[in-house]
Amino acid sequence: DWKQQIFLNIEDTTLESHQEAEHILFNLIRNLQPTQLYAPSFFELHPDHNAINRLLYRVLQTTAFDHLTIMGYEISVHNPFP
């Protein structure tokens, strides 16, 4: 069940350079133990959307979250498929 949205309250375009962002994301996943996580696609054009995707990738490389299914979505990408 989806119960809440969580905002990191990090200033626009500073997400990737924010010193605590990776740690915050890791702790959110560890503490909330979601079974599904929706994240922007690797193909996203928006800098913050792309940055959260890269942060998530780094977090998932350091720890096995076996219970977690990652699903990507696109907002600012033109999909070439019908």
Side-chain angles (χ1 to χ4, degrees):
D1 283 323
W2 178 80
K3 295 181 182 173
Q4 64 183 351
Q5 291 179 340
I6 297 171
F7 295 93
L8 301 181
N9 296 320
I10 296 173
E11 186 177 339
D12 286 351
T13 71
T14 65
L15 181 59
E16 194 156 26
S17 63
H18 192 277
Q19 295 179 10
E20 301 274 330
E22 195 170 324
H23 181 70
I24 292 168
L25 187 57
F26 172 83
N27 283 330
L28 281 171
I29 295 170
R30 185 187 65 192
N31 294 335
L32 297 174
Q33 296 186 10
T35 56
Q36 297 177 338
L37 194 144
Y38 293 86
S41 160
F42 279 110
F43 304 109
E44 266 301 320
L45 302 175
H46 190 284
D48 286 335
H49 299 174
N50 200 277
I52 194 67
N53 191 296
R54 288 193 301 271
L55 285 169
L56 178 60
Y57 179 80
R58 287 198 300 269
V59 165
L60 296 176
Q61 293 301 305
T62 61
T63 305
F65 290 107
D66 297 330
H67 63 279
L68 187 57
T69 299
I70 308 289
M71 289 171 274
Y73 62 89
E74 296 176 353
I75 297 172
S76 58
V77 174
H78 296 288
N79 189 341
F81 305 105

